Amino acid sequence: MKQLVISSLAFALCLLVSVVAAAQRVVSLVPSVTQTYMQLGADSYVVARTSYCPPSSNGGSVIVGDAMSVNVEKILAVKPDVVITMELTKPEVIAKLKSFGVDVLELNTPRSFDEICSQTVILARYVGMEETAVRLVSEEKKKVESVARKQLLDKKAFFEIGVKPLWGAVSGTFLDDMLAMLGLDNVVKEGNGSVSREYVVSAKPQYIVMSSLYGQAEEEKSVWRRLLPTAKVVVVDEDTACCPTPSNFRIVISSIVEAFE
């Protein structure tokens, strides 16, 4: 069983981050960042977001772009204290924002539950809610530990996150970490996640976890039941599974366990 301890090192690294004045105006270019602020009860600080982000509770957030492209002029117009990005934001956009003196927080996509929790604390610090985040992380950690005790040991699994082309979660990602916490061996070990059906069938996974695939999940379930008739299949909500927050991580692994118990 993978150890479910949020490492003291990860939190130490969080504490080493420069202390910043609490931001009053946040631009989130990442759906999981926006959701994290919502789950902290701090989404009123989000004054602008992408079209892929959920709207803030006060309904006042401005849409400044989508997952791949953003409008720098719209971002500057809302006078942000900080703009938060991940890998999809183009380097030239980040450089332009910085040239205007905008504080840009560049995050990497978290690879594990531990990193998700660490990022949550960092994000909370930007709006002066670090203590709230530490409590949330602690509570979710306990819940995840409780769920992970119900392990599906010594079984192989495929976590499908895309179809046409077929795409699976690969080792070293937070979705792979979900499987590992449940004692499941991910059949996709290398590459970027693109696989063939023949590859998956030859690996003979006993469990198939798939995101809702934008309405294609039922058709996919039928395909897998024909190709791997003894495999158990569960569908998890794609917006929850692919949006890494501590609460979302716990919700997804709970739904996997409930479906396969």
Side-chain angles (χ1 to χ4, degrees), residues 122-240:
I122 292 171
L123 291 171
R125 184 175 293 116
Y126 269 81
V127 294
M129 295 186 67
E130 183 176 351
E131 290 185 7
T132 300
V134 170
R135 287 195 298 271
L136 173 69
V137 164
S138 178
E139 291 169 1
E140 293 296 350
K141 172 180 171 286
K142 291 176 182 176
K143 292 175 183 177
V144 167
E145 288 175 337
S146 177
V147 172
R149 291 193 190 104
K150 305 172 182 179
Q151 287 196 62
L152 310 166
L153 291 172
D154 302 321
K155 304 292 184 182
K156 293 190 289 186
F158 173 59
F159 201 135
E160 182 176 357
I161 54 176
V163 63
K164 297 177 184 178
L166 188 63
W167 211 270
V170 70
S171 293
T173 63
F174 66 88
L175 294 176
D176 173 73
D177 198 37
M178 289 181 184
L179 299 179
M181 284 189 174
L182 298 175
L184 292 170
D185 179 25
N186 187 358
V187 300
V188 183
K189 303 294 185 187
E190 300 175 345
N192 62 4
S194 179
V195 294
S196 66
R197 290 198 188 274
E198 291 78 12
Y199 173 87
V200 177
V201 171
S202 67
K204 299 179 180 178
Q206 291 98 332
Y207 296 97
I208 295 177
V209 181
M210 67 173 69
S211 73
S212 39
L213 301 174
Y214 298 99
Q216 300 179 76
E218 287 305 313
E219 179 182 347
E220 275 293 283
K221 284 172 70 174
S222 299
V223 172
W224 289 123
R225 283 170 176 160
R226 174 172 54 82
L227 296 175
L228 292 166
T230 62
K232 296 182 178 179
V233 182
V234 62
V235 178
V236 296
D237 179 71
E238 62 204 346
D239 292 329
T240 305

Side-chain angles (χ1 to χ4, degrees), residues 25 27 47 62 64 71-80:
R25 302 180 67 78
V27 172
V47 295
V62 175
V64 294
N71 186 311
V72 173
E73 286 70 28
K74 282 188 175 182
I75 293 175
L76 296 174
V78 300
K79 297 179 169 53

